[in-house]
């Protein structure tokens, strides 16, 4: 019996192979857990049978199996969840350039460190730590208030408090745990004690990068361009601040500070043209090796060195691999095979590390290179000169627009124009920067002045982008469209870039319009309440049919990280909210107000009351939205008895307390009030404390949730806005027990992620924990609310 013919998979069939292999890997990454071995065995059977599509099926199966192996290895090497907060002395090496920031005056984690403090500035350090013990995973370490000189490649013996990988879990929010998983980081830790240790060689590349970073601090002391220069030279972006990243995002130039194909291409172009020009000056050399190939060889070597010195992070790895495949095609005079080289590069990268598919950089970089190759192929009939550059920038912006909306929840029109001006400038500045670095090392008298000149040029570009971002109207459109609308936009992109004569090509631009249309995810009646997982802090979103209120904005962790930017704003955009009707900051503590600046930068806030507003919360304030009543119950007016200025009235007790009610059912948001404020509320109108849903005051502290408050509220549902394994051990077990005895169903944001519930005329709907309803194979199962008594 003859076997049926199998589809051709060579040459022109490479694209189906790449797509099927990728689809197999993505199918595994989309699962909530790895499939059992019996399932894998059953899936392998069709690959052994003689049928027409066997080879293509086998390719997809291979992608899935390699992904299973990689994922299983990462899960096996992670620090166990049951051992979180365990302390262990570990010896190993600093495996990255340490990120250094001056410590705040009173850092929340400072008291956790037993390291002796000496006079001098204290810094918060973050770095990767590779233990000498092969049985331990790669660890991301935070060392708060350190006065030690920590350098990449050094050996240290650290007393660490280890934790399993964990991050905040919210709809549309940043998945920190997925990033740790993709990077191969199996644990996080804080330093309790430390001492340096002697060790042999190794980490030569990291030490070389550290030496360059140290010299830059010496050559450019206090220079505002130091962070930009360090980021471009050795991939050290620790000195860049949140305004820098906001400027790059709005102007569509974030790629300038992520060493990838653009930077390597600039270095390659500069070295190629200089070396080719010099080679031609020596005819005898041209007889041995053509000038074009000599330039290509030198450019490749320069690209390898630059990629290594920049940290050889995944974007640089991908760009270098694409470059090597592309140059191999050109070296063998097969320029038409450059597209095939790009497909092979993708296949090798995904096969080597299938979890790279979780990285936005992989999709953005390959999509951009594919678009560039398409434009350079001449299929769009591009003209020479400025028009061709403009066409290239417009094509890139168009092609990347759906991905930008998906990964970054927004897009802007300023990107093509900004890149049209900035990319040529960086094409000159980046090679000059590298020349200045080499010259500064060999001949400081000439190199350091040149380095200052180039640094100021880079800073001028940054300031120009900042001016454009500030003055351009509606430069950034914040939105988070549905996946179906993104697929429609991608379909429109394919038709728009198709050759002339393709049917419906003229209507392709209409496929992009739904990206900018507002989403409608508001409740029809009553209100939706979502307590976001913002770590040890508070942020609650209340939505009615046509209005949105934000109660607190979560904590700020560093000057470049806060819950507003990573959790609150993405959630609101994912719900189709770009305008807040009201924002209430209940009190001035950092865990309540930390995300406010990011919220104001990203969304339009129509009205604001509370600790950060000239208009404070005052008992008696009331308003109605869409049949839903909002009442402020605390703090009292200044003239009332027991005013906020009294000795026993703390800032916590002076916080805003909000009651939201609809159809005889209510939710109570008491912020961080403690027993004195609860007593005052009980002495007033206890009926106003009756609530079906209660946000446990002060995160479940023993200073709050007195028996009187619990009895007055009689909640059906209690939400503890507490961080996972927080150092305060919130919620305290006696507090949990009070609510359980009252018949309340407990939920905790730090364990189960964001908690959402609908309250309306029919009562209180079922509560939904984001983690339980959206499991991922890189996440551990949600832990229950702690109920064991202290």
């Amino acid at each position: 019996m003859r076997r049926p013919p199998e589809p051709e998979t060579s040459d022109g069939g490479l694209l189906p192979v790449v797509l099927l292999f990728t689809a197999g890997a993505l199918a595994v990454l989309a699962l909530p857990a790895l499939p059992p071995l019996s399932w894998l065995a059953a899936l392998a059977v069709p690959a052994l049978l003689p049928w027409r599509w066997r080879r293509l099926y086998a390719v997809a199966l291979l992608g899935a199996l390699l992904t299973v192996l990689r994922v299983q290895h990462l899960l096996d090497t992670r620090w166990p969840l049951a051992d979180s907060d365990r302390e262990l002395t570990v010896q190993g090496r600093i495996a990255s350039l340490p990120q250094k920031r001056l410590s705040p005056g009173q850092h929340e984690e400072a008291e956790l460190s037993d390291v002796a403090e000496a006079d001098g500035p204290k810094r918060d350090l973050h770095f990767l730590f590779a233990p000498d013990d092969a049985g331990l995973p790669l660890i991301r370490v935070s060392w708060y208030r350190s006065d030690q000189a920590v350098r990449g490649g050094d050996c240290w013996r650290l007393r660490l408090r280890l934790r399993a990988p964990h991050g905040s879990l919210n709809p549309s929010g940043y998945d920190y745990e997925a990033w740790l998983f993709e990077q191969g980081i199996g644990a996080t830790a804080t330093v309790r004690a430390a001492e340096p240790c002697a060790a042999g060689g190794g980490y030569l590349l990291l030490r070389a990068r550290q030496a360059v970073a140290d010299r830059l601090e010496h050559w450019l002391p206090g220079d505002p361009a130091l962070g930009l220069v360090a980021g471009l030279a050795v991939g050290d972006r620790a000195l860049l601040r949140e305004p820098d990243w906001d400027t790059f995002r709005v102007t569509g130039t974030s790629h300038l500070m992520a060493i990838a194909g653009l930077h390597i291409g600039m270095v390659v172009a500069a070295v190629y043209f200089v070396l080719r020009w010099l080679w031609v000056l020596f005819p005898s050399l041209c007889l041995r090796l053509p000038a074009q190939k000599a330039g290509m060889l030198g450019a490749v070597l320069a690209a390898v060195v630059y990629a290594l010195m920049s940290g050889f992070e995944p974007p640089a790895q991908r760009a270098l691999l694409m470059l090597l495949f592309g140059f191999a095609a050109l070296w063998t005079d097969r320029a038409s095979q450059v597209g095939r080289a790009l497909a092979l590069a993708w296949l090798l990268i995904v096969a080597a590390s299938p979890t790279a598919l979780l990285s936005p950089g992989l999709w953005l970089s390959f999509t951009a290179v594919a678009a560039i190759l398409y434009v350079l192929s001449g299929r769009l009939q591009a003209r020479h000169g400025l028009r061709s550059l403009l066409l290239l920038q417009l094509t890139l912006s168009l092609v990347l627009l759906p991905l930008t909306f998906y990964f970054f929840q927004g897009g802007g029109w300023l990107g093509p124009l900004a890149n049209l001006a900035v990319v040529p400038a960086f094409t000159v500045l980046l090679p000059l920067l590298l020349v200045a670095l080499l010259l500064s090392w060999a001949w400081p008298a000439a190199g350091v002045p040149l380095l200052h000149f180039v640094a100021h040029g880079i800073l001028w570009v940054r300031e120009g982008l900042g001016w454009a971002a500030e003055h351009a109207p509606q430069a950034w459109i914040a939105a988070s469209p549905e996946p179906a609308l993104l697929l429609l936009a991608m379909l429109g992109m394919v038709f728009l870039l198709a050759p002339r004569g393709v049917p419906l090509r003229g209507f392709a631009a209409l496929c992009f319009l739904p990206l900018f249309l507002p989403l409608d995810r508001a409740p029809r009646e009553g209100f939706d309440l979502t307590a976001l997982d913002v770590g040890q802090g508070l942020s609650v979103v209340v939505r009615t049919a046509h209005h949105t209120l934000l109660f607190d904005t979560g904590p700020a962790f560093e000057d470049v990280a806060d819950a507003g930017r990573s959790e609150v704003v993405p959630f609101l955009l994912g719900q189709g909210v770009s305008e807040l009707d009201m924002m209430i900051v209940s009190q001035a503590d950092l865990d309540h107000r930390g995300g406010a600046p990011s919220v104001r930068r990203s969304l339009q806030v129509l009205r604001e009351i509370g600790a950060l507003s000239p208009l404070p919360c005052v008992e008696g304030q009331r308003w109605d939205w869409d049949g839903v009543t909002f009442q402020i119950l605390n703090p009292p007016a200044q003239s009332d008895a027991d005013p906020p200025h009294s000795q026993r009235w703390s800032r916590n007790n002076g916080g805003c307390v909000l009651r939201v009610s609809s159809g005889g059912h209510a939710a109570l948001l008491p912020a961080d009030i403690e027993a004195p404020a609860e007593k005052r509320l009980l002495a007033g109108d206890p009926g106003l404390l009756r609530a079906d849903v209660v946000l446990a005051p002060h995160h479940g502290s023993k200073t709050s949730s007195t028996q009187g408050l619990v009895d007055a509220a009689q909640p059906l549902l209690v939400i503890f806005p507490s961080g996972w394994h927080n150092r305060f051990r919130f919620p305290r077990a006696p507090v949990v027990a009070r609510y359980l005895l009252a018949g309340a169903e407990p939920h905790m944001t730090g364990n189960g992620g964001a908690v959402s519930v609908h309250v309306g005329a029919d009562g209180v709907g079922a509560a939904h924990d984001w983690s339980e309803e959206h499991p991922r194979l890189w996440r551990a199962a949600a832990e229950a609310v702690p109920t064991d008594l202290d």
Side-chain angles (χ1 to χ4, degrees):
M1 178 178 177
R2 294 182 59 188
R3 290 184 177 181
E6 298 184 356
E8 185 66 42
T9 58
S10 61
D11 297 328
L14 179 61
L15 182 59
V17 169
V18 171
L19 293 177
L20 287 169
F21 187 92
T22 304
L26 286 174
V28 173
L29 293 175
L31 294 174
L34 288 178
L37 186 60
S38 57
W39 284 30
L40 297 177
L43 290 173
V45 172
L48 304 176
L49 301 178
W51 58 296
R52 177 175 175 80
W53 306 102
R54 184 182 68 165
R55 288 186 181 179
L56 294 179
Y57 177 83
V59 168
L61 181 63
L62 179 62
L65 292 178
L66 288 178
T67 306
V68 168
L69 291 175
R70 174 63 176 168
V71 169
Q72 189 63 62
H73 170 72
L74 292 175
L75 294 178
D76 289 342
T77 56
R78 296 176 82 176
W79 186 253
L81 182 65
D83 288 340
S84 289
D85 296 321
R86 175 186 167 192
E87 291 189 15
L88 189 68
T89 299
V90 183
Q91 178 171 309
R93 300 292 193 91
I94 309 297
S96 67
L97 293 179
Q99 298 179 5
K100 308 172 185 178
R101 303 191 189 281
L102 287 176
S103 301
Q106 179 62 48
H107 200 288
E108 184 181 20
E109 301 285 348
E111 64 186 69
L112 294 181
S113 177
D114 295 330
V115 181
E117 295 183 359
D119 293 334
K122 302 296 188 295
R123 296 177 183 271
D124 292 348
L125 307 178
H126 304 276
F127 51 84
L128 297 182
F129 190 69
D132 293 340
D133 185 350
L136 294 176
L138 184 66
I139 306 170
R140 188 176 191 272
V141 173
S142 298
W143 188 350
Y144 297 111
R145 297 187 63 80
S146 169
D147 57 358
Q148 301 289 333
V150 177
R151 306 175 79 253
D154 286 353
C155 178
W156 281 85
R157 187 176 294 107
L158 303 177
R159 182 72 177 175
L160 299 175
R161 171 172 285 181
L162 288 157
R163 289 186 170 188
H166 185 83
S168 297
L169 300 174
N170 297 290
S172 305
Y174 176 62
D175 195 338
Y176 177 62
E177 198 168 338
W179 178 82
L180 293 173
F181 184 75
E182 188 262 326
Q183 295 289 315
I185 300 172
T188 61
T190 53
V191 176
R192 304 278 290 180
E195 61 177 355
C197 54
Y203 288 87
L204 297 179
L205 178 60
L206 180 57
R207 291 179 183 275
R209 295 178 60 223
Q210 183 69 69
V212 174
D214 292 343
R215 296 305 296 174
L216 282 174
E217 291 185 5
H218 174 72
W219 290 329
L220 301 171
D223 195 306
L226 177 59
L228 298 167
V229 171
L232 292 170
V234 291
D236 184 7
R237 298 180 288 274
L239 294 179
L240 296 178
R241 297 295 184 257
E242 191 168 354
D244 297 318
W245 291 115
D246 283 339
T247 294
F248 294 139
R249 174 179 57 84
V250 171
T251 57
T253 55
S254 297
H255 57 88
L256 293 177
M257 298 310 301
I259 308 301
L262 176 66
H263 305 77
I264 292 177
M266 292 175 179
V267 173
V268 164
V271 173
Y272 174 80
F273 286 112
V274 170
L275 189 56
R276 182 188 178 193
W277 176 75
L278 292 174
W279 201 267
V280 172
L281 299 179
F282 302 92
S284 59
L285 295 177
C286 294
L287 293 175
R288 297 183 179 182
L289 184 67
Q292 294 89 341
K293 291 190 174 182
M296 289 169 52
L297 185 60
V300 168
L301 292 176
V304 170
V305 172
Y306 180 56
L308 292 174
M309 289 301 296
S310 68
F312 207 50
E313 295 180 348
Q317 297 174 19
R318 295 189 288 264
L320 185 60
L321 188 58
M322 286 188 285
L323 175 71
L324 293 176
F325 273 108
F327 269 25
L330 294 173
W331 188 277
T332 56
D333 299 321
R334 296 180 179 178
S336 60
Q337 298 296 314
V338 173
R340 178 179 172 82
L342 179 66
L344 282 173
W346 173 279
L347 189 61
L348 284 179
I349 289 171
V350 175
S353 180
T355 54
L357 291 169
L358 298 174
S359 170
L362 177 71
W363 298 94
L364 293 170
S365 60
F366 270 89
T367 302
V369 172
I372 292 173
L373 292 177
Y374 184 80
V375 173
L376 296 180
S377 69
R379 297 186 181 183
L380 295 182
Q381 299 180 359
R383 300 183 180 182
H384 297 289
L386 182 60
R387 290 188 177 182
S388 63
L389 290 176
L390 182 59
L391 177 63
L392 178 60
Q393 288 297 332
L394 289 174
T395 303
L396 279 174
S397 299
L398 180 68
V399 168
L400 296 177
L401 187 63
L403 292 177
T404 302
F405 270 89
Y406 178 73
F407 289 120
F408 306 114
Q409 297 185 309
W413 59 266
L414 195 56
L417 299 178
N419 280 281
L420 195 62
V422 170
V423 171
F426 264 67
T427 303
V428 176
L429 290 171
L430 180 58
L432 275 180
L433 172 62
L434 301 181
V435 171
L437 286 174
L438 293 174
L439 196 57
S440 297
W441 213 282
W443 187 16
V448 173
L450 178 60
L451 180 61
H452 278 269
F453 174 77
V454 177
H456 291 159
I458 295 173
L459 183 61
W460 292 336
V461 173
R462 158 65 181 88
E463 291 176 346
L465 290 174
W467 182 91
E470 183 178 352
H471 292 86
Q474 292 294 317
W476 180 261
I477 300 174
S480 182
E482 296 278 4
L485 299 182
L486 294 171
L487 291 175
L488 178 63
M490 295 177 71
L491 180 64
M493 173 195 67
V494 171
F495 275 99
L496 200 61
L497 298 179
R500 293 182 178 180
V502 174
L504 303 178
R505 182 174 181 267
F507 298 94
L510 298 177
C511 296
F512 289 87
L513 293 181
L515 293 179
F516 304 96
L517 297 178
L519 299 175
D520 184 12
R521 294 176 178 169
R524 298 297 181 185
E525 57 84 28
F527 63 92
D528 287 342
L529 182 147
T530 302
L532 297 176
D533 177 13
V534 292
Q536 187 56 35
L538 179 64
S539 184
V540 181
V541 176
V542 179
R543 296 200 67 191
T544 67
H546 302 101
H547 297 82
T548 304
L549 178 143
L550 176 63
F551 187 87
D552 283 340
T553 61
F557 311 109
E558 298 170 354
D559 57 350
V560 295
D562 64 73
R565 179 177 183 175
S566 61
E567 308 299 337
V568 179
V569 170
F571 171 77
L572 289 169
L573 293 178
Q575 297 297 306
V577 177
S578 58
E579 180 180 275
L580 285 174
D581 296 279
M582 180 176 290
M583 181 169 76
I584 299 176
V585 177
S586 65
Q587 58 146 300
D589 285 351
L590 190 62
D591 58 333
H592 295 258
R593 63 171 172 82
S598 292
V599 172
R600 295 192 192 102
R601 279 195 301 269
S602 302
L603 306 173
Q604 184 178 4
V605 181
L606 300 183
R607 188 183 179 201
E608 184 174 345
I609 64 174
L612 302 185
S613 170
L615 181 63
C617 295
V618 177
E619 180 184 13
Q621 292 170 327
R622 173 177 174 148
W623 63 97
D624 291 277
W625 289 341
D626 309 315
V628 178
T629 300
F630 296 77
Q631 295 173 272
I632 298 294
L633 307 183
N634 192 71
Q638 294 292 325
S639 59
D640 287 358
D642 202 6
H645 296 299
S646 70
Q647 189 174 6
R648 66 191 184 91
W649 199 270
S650 66
R651 182 157 64 181
N652 285 345
N653 287 316
C656 307
V657 174
L658 176 67
R659 186 176 191 267
V660 187
S661 58
S662 174
H665 301 277
L668 185 66
L669 284 65
D672 276 3
I673 64 169
E674 298 171 333
E678 293 180 10
K679 181 179 179 181
R680 190 195 71 81
L681 291 172
L682 289 167
D685 185 357
L688 291 177
L689 299 178
R690 174 71 180 89
D692 304 88
V693 181
V694 171
L695 269 292
H698 203 186
H699 316 284
S701 165
K702 288 194 295 187
T703 63
S704 308
S705 296
T706 59
Q707 190 65 54
L709 177 71
V710 175
D711 291 340
Q714 304 177 32
L716 301 176
L717 175 72
V718 59
I719 302 174
F720 297 100
S722 309
W724 179 78
H725 283 242
N726 63 86
R727 69 186 181 97
F728 306 103
R729 298 168 63 197
F730 293 158
R732 291 301 182 120
V735 173
V736 177
R738 283 186 209 125
Y739 285 106
L740 291 178
L741 290 174
E745 176 185 322
H747 294 261
M748 177 177 168
T749 56
N751 286 3
V755 182
S756 300
V757 62
H758 176 76
V759 179
D762 296 333
V764 179
H768 303 280
D769 288 0
W770 175 256
S771 176
E772 292 184 0
E773 298 192 356
H774 298 82
R776 293 291 183 268
L777 51 80
W778 54 82
R779 296 179 192 156
E783 298 176 88
V785 178
T787 57
D788 54 314
L789 294 177
D790 293 347

